[in-house]
Amino acid sequence: MLRARLRRGSWSTPLGVVLLFLATSIALPLARWGDSALVLSLIPAAVAGYLAGRHMVGLVPAVVTFSVVLAVSLPVSYVMPGTAPLGDWMASVLIALLTVVAPWWFGRYRMLREEQRESDAAILADRAQAEERARIADDLHDTIGHELALIAVQAGALELGRGLSSEQREQFRALREASVRASDRLRDVVRMTRPEEGPSRIDPRGGDGIDALVSGARDAGMRVEARIDHGVVSAADPLIAELAARTVREGLTNAARHAAGAGVVIDVARDEAGGMTVSIVSKGSTEAATQGSGHGIPSLRRRAELLGGSLDADSRQDGGFELRLLAPMRPETVAQRPLNAPDPALRSNARTARRRVWQATIVPAVILGLALVGFVVVQAITFGQTAITSEVYESIELRTTRAELAPLLPAGIPGPVPIVAEPPMPDGAECEYFAARDGWLHFTDATYRLCFDQGVLVEKTLLEAS
């Protein structure tokens, strides 16, 4: 979901490419002259590889740089003075992997881990902001919404009072309608502010909160009959007690908003299973119900389910409405469904980081694999076209004609490598050269020289490095 962002201190791509190019280019001279002072260049090459991996964001430019340098070093190994071009090139590949690519991978791994931590911190910060918005939204809905509903009830009761002039009745009616409109607008704001998922949060109030809610509703003019078992509320876990208080408040708010003038019956008791049951029944309204899409009941239902209970809201046959909560005395599902369960965004971010680490691991491995395959193919072709084994060499006898030796001899090579000492050729003879190898993985500087005089073998010599 979240892509890695450019970090402060990251390098530009050209700078990283130049650094990797210089560091990797040291591998071929080290393979050719590893016994010289060039060995000291291993340290800056490894440091350069690590720093490039740590600060260079792009993966593709680094891989292309490695590939180009290692590919170009193969023909260069034939141009540079030396003994075994293919062997030197293979050694340079291994040196580059150990001294440059491995530190680069470690640096890139650390960079990706740091990016993941930064992304996780951003996700958690966004989550904390969302939770704070949810808390504010719940507070608005549960407190201000409830008070607005009671204001509407009080205004409605005053509107029906005796001895009022028509102007006063109109003012009370306008006050009631204004409170209803304010409640509806508050609900719209809450819907935009609060995230769709997640439990709601309010300050604990418990049984004292239920009594205060009932008293406030009665003072506002609502007809409330309350049968509250305070022993059950006191014995319940604070989270369950708070859930009960919140359910009562939601029931009273809905009754005041949608069933103004109707009586409300509240029952809080212990159920047959040993848990708590809370029921808020609003009887048929004496006025036309104000319709609206509620936010509180879905929020309550999510919270009840999280704590191991259930919440039902149904219309009654007599035209009333019942809000019913069934909850255990102790939360039952908190341990089974931890609140700190991994966030989906964090899981997605971790998967992205793992994928990028695997990409940084697999690509160099593929380069090495392709280099090995290319090396094997070239070695096999070279061996078949330029080399003869010691067994074949020993079987060749002097005075044998070139035509008789043709089935045993490949095309050969132009001449021995520069460091091989070559004695003078026999007078009037023409000499052919063959690599002295007993297999395609046999690396040696030795060369076989076969000299023919008028098509007859007059000398065979093993040339070795001096």
Side-chain angles (χ1 to χ4, degrees):
M1 294 177 61
L2 292 178
R3 302 188 60 175
R5 298 168 297 175
L6 292 178
R7 300 174 300 107
R8 289 178 297 177
S10 53
W11 290 355
S12 64
T13 299
L15 175 61
V17 167
V18 170
L19 195 63
L20 288 178
F21 180 85
L22 295 176
T24 311
S25 299
I26 299 175
L28 184 58
L30 280 176
R32 186 61 54 89
W33 301 296
D35 56 347
S36 65
L38 282 173
V39 175
L40 298 177
S41 63
L42 288 175
I43 297 176
V47 173
Y50 172 78
L51 292 177
R54 189 74 174 83
H55 299 284
M56 184 177 173
V57 177
L59 173 63
V60 175
V63 173
V64 172
T65 302
F66 292 140
S67 303
V68 169
V69 174
L70 296 180
V72 171
S73 65
L74 178 58
V76 171
S77 64
Y78 281 91
V79 177
M80 295 177 63
T83 59
L86 284 175
D88 291 340
W89 177 74
M90 191 62 202
S92 70
V93 171
L94 295 177
I95 291 174
L97 288 173
L98 292 176
T99 61
V100 182
V101 178
W104 168 84
W105 180 89
F106 180 67
R108 183 165 183 82
Y109 172 78
R110 291 197 60 190
M111 181 190 71
L112 295 177
R113 291 291 296 174
E114 181 177 338
E115 287 183 351
Q116 182 186 359
R117 286 193 295 268
E118 292 176 355
S119 298
D120 288 347
I123 292 173
L124 293 176
D126 292 341
R127 182 64 63 192
Q129 291 178 358
E131 290 179 354
E132 182 63 15
R133 288 195 299 267
R135 186 193 66 79
I136 296 173
D138 284 336
D139 224 16
L140 288 172
H141 180 273
D142 296 330
T143 57
I144 301 178
H146 180 70
E147 297 300 329
L148 287 173
L150 295 184
I151 291 173
V153 171
Q154 291 174 326
L158 292 174
E159 182 183 356
L160 299 176
R162 297 180 179 180
L164 297 177
S165 64
S166 59
E167 182 179 355
Q168 290 173 328
R169 293 181 187 277
E170 180 63 24
Q171 290 175 347
F172 285 127
R173 185 188 65 80
L175 175 61
R176 177 174 57 82
E177 292 178 351
S179 63
V180 172
R181 287 195 302 270
S183 179
D184 292 338
R185 291 177 181 177
L186 174 64
R187 187 164 56 251
D188 294 337
V189 171
V190 167
R191 187 182 301 109
M192 291 185 295
T193 305
R194 195 181 191 282
E196 296 181 358
E197 300 296 334
S200 55
R201 298 161 50 191
I202 56 177
D203 296 332
R205 296 180 64 180
D208 294 337
I210 296 178
D211 292 337
L213 291 169
V214 171
S215 299
R218 287 172 176 168
D219 293 341
M222 296 182 65
R223 293 184 289 113
V224 180
E225 179 183 353
R227 296 187 290 268
I228 302 172
D229 188 341
H230 289 86
V232 175
V233 179
S234 300
D237 185 269
L239 290 174
I240 301 298
E242 173 54 33
L243 178 62
R246 181 178 172 84
T247 303
V248 171
R249 179 163 56 186
E250 182 64 24
L252 290 173
T253 301
N254 289 337
R257 181 181 296 128
H258 304 303
V264 180
V265 178
I266 300 175
D267 280 300
V268 179
R270 188 183 299 272
D271 63 6
E272 297 178 356
M276 179 190 296
T277 176
V278 178
S279 173
I280 303 95
V281 178
S282 58
K283 300 179 180 180
S285 175
T286 59
E287 297 184 6
T290 303
Q291 300 298 327
S293 57
H295 160 81
I297 291 178
S299 175
L300 268 178
R301 183 174 287 113
R302 286 192 295 268
R303 185 178 182 86
E305 292 174 352
L306 185 64
L307 297 177
S310 63
L311 184 75
D312 296 320
D314 296 306
S315 299
R316 294 168 56 89
Q317 294 182 352
D318 58 3
F321 188 83
E322 180 179 10
L323 184 63
R324 185 176 181 83
L325 169 70
L326 295 177
M329 298 297 288
R330 296 288 181 270
E332 294 180 353
T333 61
V334 172
Q336 301 172 8
R337 186 182 175 184
L339 294 176
N340 294 326
D343 188 278
L346 294 178
R347 291 197 299 268
S348 176
N349 195 46
R351 286 194 298 268
T352 301
R354 286 194 298 269
R355 183 176 66 251
R356 297 181 69 197
V357 170
W358 275 110
Q359 288 174 348
T361 304
I362 292 174
V363 173
V366 171
I367 294 176
L368 176 61
L370 293 176
L372 289 174
V373 171
F375 172 75
V376 169
V377 171
V378 173
Q379 277 290 93
I381 295 175
T382 302
F383 174 76
Q385 292 183 351
T386 65
I388 59 177
T389 64
S390 58
E391 182 180 359
V392 172
Y393 177 77
E394 295 296 335
S395 67
I396 296 175
E397 298 180 356
L398 296 177
R399 313 308 302 175
T400 305
T401 64
R402 182 64 177 81
E404 293 174 338
L405 295 176
L408 300 177
L409 302 179
I413 57 179
V417 294
I419 66 172
V420 172
E422 182 179 9
M425 300 181 186
D427 293 337
E430 295 181 357
C431 298
E432 298 180 20
Y433 301 89
F434 306 91
R437 297 184 182 178
D438 288 328
W440 58 272
L441 290 179
H442 180 204
F443 303 101
T444 179
D445 301 325
T447 304
Y448 293 127
R449 187 179 75 176
L450 303 181
C451 296
F452 298 89
D453 186 359
Q454 296 182 359
V456 178
L457 180 65
V458 295
E459 181 188 87
K460 65 175 188 176
T461 306
L462 172 62
L463 307 178
E464 296 182 299
S466 56

